[in-house]
Amino acid sequence: MGKVLYIACILVMISTWQENIALNNDSNAFKALYLHLMPGLSKFAHSFVKDPLAAEDIVADIFAALWSNRSGLMKIEHLRVYLFASVRNACMNYLQRRDRITFYAFEDMEVLLEPLVAPTNPEQQLIMGEMTLAMQEAIDKLPPKCKLIFRLAREEKLKYKEIAAILSISVRTIDSQLAIALQRIHAAVDSHLVK
């Protein structure tokens, strides 16, 4: 229940910041939005471009464009999804300009995203540390496409339709890739618990 409440609070904060930016030109709300979303978006961009400085520049450019077009910000229904999709598109444009190729396969991507919530109880931290290590090893062994979808769904808490929009794939693909990921992670955690 704690994670659900946390995510709900985040979504309310993002919506409030979005409204304050669009209606009041609130630079403090923009700064808060930027500081909250920049790390995850930068890691997402890095998954595509493999260059941390270029990833940060791409995300900074997205936020600069967002500020420039802030009067139309209320027309965006799901700001997080919009930003992830914008970053993906900007990364693809960057790669096209840089490498003069039109497509990067999921298999060429290394995904780096972090979970939203960490446990606060020391005992839970110890248990979660062991389980997280086993899970992380299993996640690292997932195929790149499967790993990207898993992390967007489980760690960024995006809905299947949102992921489909971001990655331009079908909801069925997301469902099947998550089933593969969960099966492999479950097997790894089970084998860790048996030890």
Side-chain angles (χ1 to χ4, degrees), residues 62 66 73 76 78-87 166:
I62 297 292
L66 192 72
L73 200 55
I76 300 170
H78 301 287
L79 186 58
R80 273 181 77 215
V81 173
Y82 172 84
L83 289 171
F84 272 99
S86 296
V87 167
I166 291 168

Side-chain angles (χ1 to χ4, degrees), residues 50-107:
K50 309 284 192 278
D51 178 348
L53 295 176
E56 285 184 22
D57 287 345
I58 288 167
V59 175
D61 289 345
I62 297 292
F63 274 98
L66 192 72
W67 179 256
S68 295
N69 299 315
R70 63 189 173 275
S71 61
L73 200 55
M74 291 309 294
K75 295 175 186 171
I76 300 170
E77 189 173 343
H78 301 287
L79 186 58
R80 273 181 77 215
V81 173
Y82 172 84
L83 289 171
F84 272 99
S86 296
V87 167
R88 185 219 43 211
N89 293 339
C91 288
M92 291 301 156
N93 290 338
Y94 169 84
L95 292 171
Q96 285 177 335
R97 284 190 312 273
R98 187 189 73 188
D99 300 335
R100 298 186 187 273
I101 56 177
T102 59
F103 178 73
Y104 260 73
F106 281 112
E107 290 75 24

